[in-house]
Amino acid sequence: MAAVSEDTVDSSHVEKKEKQSAPRYWDASKEEEKNEKDKEANSDNEAPQQKKRWRSKKLISGKRDPFPGPAPIPEAKIKKFTRDGQVKKPPRQFAKAREIMARADALSEMAQKQAARFDMLLPEDAGFLEGDEGEDTCTISQEDIAEAVDISSGAKYFNLKLSQFGPYRPDYDKTGRHLLLGGKRGHVACINWQSKQLMCEINVMETVNDVKWLHSESMFAVAQKKWLHIYDSQGTELHCIRKFNDVLRMQFLPYHFLLATASATGFLQYLDVSVGKEVEAICTKAGRLDVMCQNPHNAIIHLGHSNGTVTLWSPNQREALVKMLCHRGGVRSVAVDKAGLYMVTSGMDKKLKVYDVRTFKPLTSYFIPAGASCLSLSQRGLLSAATGDVVQVYRDVWGTPVTKPYMAHRVRGSVWGLHYCPFEDVLGVGHGDGFTSMLVPGAGEPNFDGLDSNPYRSVKQRQEWEVKALLEKIQPDLISLEPSMLGKVDRATYEQKRKDLVETLGYDPHAAERFVPKRKKKGRSSAGNIEKRKKQVGHIDQREVIKETVEERMQLEKERKDQIKEKAMNKTSALDRFKK
């Protein structure tokens, strides 16, 4: 009988045949994955010393990320934020300290990388106006600039014809979104100038000398003919401060919440707007004060006088910190740059001078035929000077000598006030016929700090910022010429304290080398035990010194008593003359 073959058994017709399923997309992904694994195995065999790369995560579709791992950072960006100097790690026996320092180093490295990554998110750069070949930029009109730029930037050039209550003095708030206008004949208006939305408009029926925004766009101060008035953004009068009378100029110190005012009677006064109290009133003894500006770096007030001097003031001192003779005639205007390094002055002698505030020495001097009545410095260092009805903008005045202006524009009336808008290439000009918003390319800082001055903040964000700013308010006592001195050690005071300590204890505790306890095992070298052993040895040293000191005192006391006894024994009497 013939044996049954295996083929016949396998191909039995009784067995149910499996139905082949339709091909699916994941079958192809599995085959691709298998091929990739084979390739990786082959590459590992060929190059075993190759470095490990980032393994990409497998997506749902079966494909791999073509760019695995974090995005690379340019080395130049990392070097920009690298911190100099590395802290020496303690020995291995101090494991806890080593762990803390390792964690701090890791956090520092992560902060450097994050700063380098976020720096790449600030691509905005300040651009300047450039003319064609042989074309001078000061001949380009504002209409040509408005036509050349985009629609949103072109809308920032506009004119407000307000000839009835002029001339006007402008002021922008810290975020650069709100504009405050004050007319000489009593007209006051605050506007969201970007959306052209009028917030409030009032007439105080009195002469207005100056207007100034306070810490936010919800409050502003108006220096009227008699007294100083505070209004809210709806035009409601909040306060009338009668201690501040005949105010001519105002400056607000945002980080101190101080409103500094200069009056016609020669008084410089400081008002704390957070509590509504007068901080200081200083009699300058220099007559009428109608020229005033602040140094944004250290909050020092600069005042210009009719005798050609500029004085620097702080609420901590009753006398001027610095007196500088700047012009042969009266001072007409003063401006200080954002970093607090340079001061620009203009005087009746038709000269414009640039001074280095660090050395109080003149750098350059320019002659302006008609003289400059108003000065203003932008965040990027552009200087605007008003001569009659002409506004001229100069670039890099403290660097190379300037021979011609960067830009020029003629307005409809005599200029009464200039102010650059923060974070915008806009210059606000208040004149006799109203207000003009000029386009000045390269004037504003392109990148803003969202935690300090956020132009796009909401009402809730503004309220939270206001609370934090009040908690971090700097006291007026800390205003000085050199703010960096606050973080330094007063060497003279330290030496005097050490000398007093030595005289009190009778020995110098810092002179001898400190006792270093030997490290023991089995938990006997805990922090508490080490401190106890240090105190024991310290007390032993003190006992010896105190014992010597007590012995010296007893010796001196004994000598003093012996001297008293000798004087008593040798005491003479009036009857001693009768002794034989």
Side-chain angles (χ1 to χ4, degrees):
M1 183 176 176
V4 180
S5 63
E6 295 179 1
D7 297 336
T8 57
V9 174
D10 294 338
S11 61
S12 175
H13 67 281
V14 180
E15 183 179 356
K16 188 176 180 181
K17 293 184 179 180
E18 294 182 1
K19 188 178 180 181
Q20 292 183 358
S21 59
R24 304 293 183 181
Y25 70 90
W26 54 75
D27 295 335
S29 62
K30 287 179 180 178
E31 291 179 2
E32 291 178 2
E33 186 178 350
K34 186 177 181 181
N35 295 333
E36 287 180 3
K37 286 183 178 179
D38 295 340
K39 289 180 182 178
E40 287 179 2
N42 295 333
S43 61
D44 292 341
N45 295 331
E46 292 175 0
Q49 296 180 355
Q50 191 177 4
K51 293 182 179 179
K52 292 183 179 180
R53 297 181 179 178
W54 283 89
R55 293 191 175 182
S56 58
K57 293 183 179 180
K58 189 171 67 172
L59 304 177
I60 297 175
S61 62
K63 296 183 179 180
R64 292 185 178 274
D65 187 3
F67 304 102
I73 309 172
E75 293 184 1
K77 293 286 185 183
I78 296 178
K79 287 182 180 179
K80 180 181 176 182
F81 296 97
T82 301
R83 300 178 183 177
D84 297 333
Q86 294 183 354
V87 182
K88 186 179 179 182
K89 291 186 178 181
R92 292 185 178 180
Q93 55 189 1
F94 300 101
K96 190 70 175 176
R98 287 176 64 88
E99 182 184 351
I100 294 171
M101 293 186 67
R103 197 182 303 124
D105 292 343
L107 291 174
S108 177
E109 186 179 355
M110 183 184 68
Q112 294 169 23
K113 290 182 178 179
Q114 285 185 348
R117 289 185 186 278
F118 295 153
D119 190 60
M120 298 168 64
L121 300 177
L122 302 175
E124 298 294 336
D125 195 9
F128 290 95
L129 187 64
E130 294 182 0
D132 298 333
E133 271 189 55
E135 185 181 12
D136 207 349
T137 55
C138 65
T139 60
I140 302 175
S141 64
Q142 288 290 309
E143 288 78 8
D144 296 340
I145 298 174
E147 289 178 1
V149 298
D150 57 282
I151 297 175
S152 60
S153 299
K156 296 175 183 177
Y157 166 65
F158 60 90
N159 290 288
L160 298 177
K161 189 175 181 181
L162 306 167
S163 57
Q164 187 176 359
F165 300 104
Y168 281 83
R169 187 171 292 276
D171 184 52
Y172 290 96
D173 70 334
K174 193 177 178 183
T175 60
R177 291 191 64 88
H178 301 88
L179 171 66
L180 181 63
L181 295 174
K184 184 76 173 176
R185 297 178 186 139
H187 180 221
V188 179
C190 55
I191 313 163
N192 186 339
W193 68 274
Q194 293 189 359
S195 62
K196 309 300 186 294
Q197 181 183 0
L198 181 65
M199 298 170 64
C200 78
E201 186 178 15
I202 58 174
N203 196 312
V204 298
M205 307 299 292
E206 198 176 12
T207 302
V208 173
N209 295 319
D210 199 4
V211 290
K212 187 64 63 176
W213 285 108
L214 298 184
H215 57 280
S216 67
E217 62 271 14
S218 60
M219 293 173 63
F220 61 89
V222 180
Q224 297 177 202
K225 184 179 180 181
K226 287 186 178 180
W227 301 303
L228 177 67
H229 295 257
I230 308 294
Y231 297 89
D232 66 355
S233 59
Q234 303 300 320
T236 307
E237 183 178 346
L238 302 177
H239 303 286
C240 175
I241 307 171
R242 304 197 177 189
K243 283 186 177 182
F244 292 71
N245 59 314
D246 301 325
V247 176
L248 298 178
R249 295 290 178 267
M250 295 185 295
Q251 288 291 330
F252 183 70
L253 310 178
Y255 300 105
H256 304 77
F257 281 78
L258 290 180
L259 179 66
T261 63
S263 65
T265 56
F267 276 86
L268 174 64
Q269 296 172 279
Y270 290 86
L271 173 69
D272 191 341
V273 299
S274 61
V275 294
K277 292 184 179 180
E278 183 184 19
V279 174
E280 191 63 52
I282 303 171
C283 181
T284 61
K285 302 176 185 178
R288 182 184 177 89
L289 303 176
D290 56 351
V291 178
M292 182 184 189
C293 81
Q294 66 161 310
N295 187 337
H297 178 63
N298 53 16
I300 295 293
I301 297 296
H302 295 235
L303 297 178
H305 306 286
S306 58
N307 57 359
T309 60
V310 174
T311 55
L312 278 63
W313 297 86
S314 168
N316 304 324
Q317 295 189 16
R318 308 285 298 182
E319 298 294 330
L321 302 175
V322 178
K323 283 186 179 181
M324 302 170 59
L325 180 61
C326 299
H327 296 274
R328 294 183 178 180
V331 180
R332 301 184 68 182
S333 184
V334 182
V336 183
D337 75 321
K338 180 183 176 182
L341 302 178
Y342 304 102
M343 179 180 70
V344 185
T345 62
S346 65
M348 298 293 290
D349 55 356
K350 301 180 181 179
K351 286 188 177 181
L352 189 144
K353 295 185 178 181
V354 181
Y355 287 85
D356 191 340
V357 181
R358 295 165 292 184
T359 58
F360 304 107
K361 292 182 180 180
L363 297 177
T364 54
S365 178
Y366 304 97
F367 179 77
I368 299 178
S373 58
C374 297
L375 297 175
S376 181
L377 280 166
S378 73
Q379 293 177 321
R380 302 287 295 182
L382 295 182
L383 172 67
S384 61
T387 304
D389 60 346
V390 178
V391 179
Q392 294 178 340
V393 181
Y394 297 90
R395 181 179 173 185
D396 196 16
V397 291
W398 40 75
T400 57
V402 179
T403 57
K404 57 184 178 181
Y406 168 60
M407 290 182 65
H409 182 65
R410 186 182 295 274
V411 294
R412 297 175 182 174
S414 59
V415 179
W416 205 48
L418 296 174
H419 200 282
Y420 277 99
C421 180
F423 312 111
E424 295 285 349
D425 294 343
V426 171
L427 171 63
V429 183
H431 48 82
D433 200 40
F435 173 79
T436 299
S437 178
M438 281 180 58
L439 294 177
V440 184
E445 181 66 35
N447 301 309
F448 60 87
D449 184 1
L451 297 177
D452 185 25
S453 302
N454 187 2
Y456 308 104
R457 65 188 180 189
S458 61
V459 176
K460 185 68 175 177
Q461 288 174 330
R462 180 184 61 80
Q463 293 172 350
E464 291 180 359
W465 170 86
E466 192 170 347
V467 172
K468 291 179 182 178
L470 285 169
L471 293 174
E472 296 172 356
K473 183 180 75 170
I474 304 174
Q475 295 300 320
D477 301 338
L478 302 179
I479 297 177
S480 62
L481 275 175
E482 296 183 10
S484 60
M485 292 295 293
L486 295 173
K488 295 182 179 179
V489 179
D490 190 353
R491 296 289 179 184
T493 307
Y494 174 75
E495 293 294 336
Q496 185 63 33
K497 286 183 178 179
R498 184 174 179 179
K499 189 177 179 181
D500 296 342
L501 182 63
V502 171
E503 290 180 356
T504 305
L505 298 177
Y507 69 100
D508 189 358
H510 305 288
E513 295 183 1
R514 292 192 173 186
F515 169 69
V516 181
K518 186 179 178 181
R519 188 169 182 83
K520 298 181 180 181
K521 296 181 180 180
K522 297 182 180 179
R524 291 181 294 172
S525 286
S526 63
N529 291 337
I530 290 174
E531 290 300 324
K532 285 180 182 178
R533 278 187 276 165
K534 285 182 180 179
K535 287 183 180 180
Q536 289 174 1
V537 176
H539 291 326
I540 291 171
D541 296 339
Q542 289 181 13
R543 287 193 197 102
E544 294 178 357
V545 176
I546 292 170
K547 187 176 180 181
E548 293 177 0
T549 307
V550 170
E551 290 179 355
E552 290 178 0
R553 288 180 182 176
M554 291 178 65
Q555 186 68 24
L556 292 174
E557 187 70 21
K558 187 177 179 181
E559 292 177 357
R560 189 178 63 82
K561 288 181 179 180
D562 292 342
Q563 290 178 0
I564 292 173
K565 285 182 181 179
E566 289 180 2
K567 287 182 180 179
M569 293 292 293
N570 299 330
K571 189 176 180 180
T572 57
S573 176
L575 300 175
D576 290 344
R577 71 184 72 179
F578 300 108
K579 288 183 179 179
K580 292 183 179 180

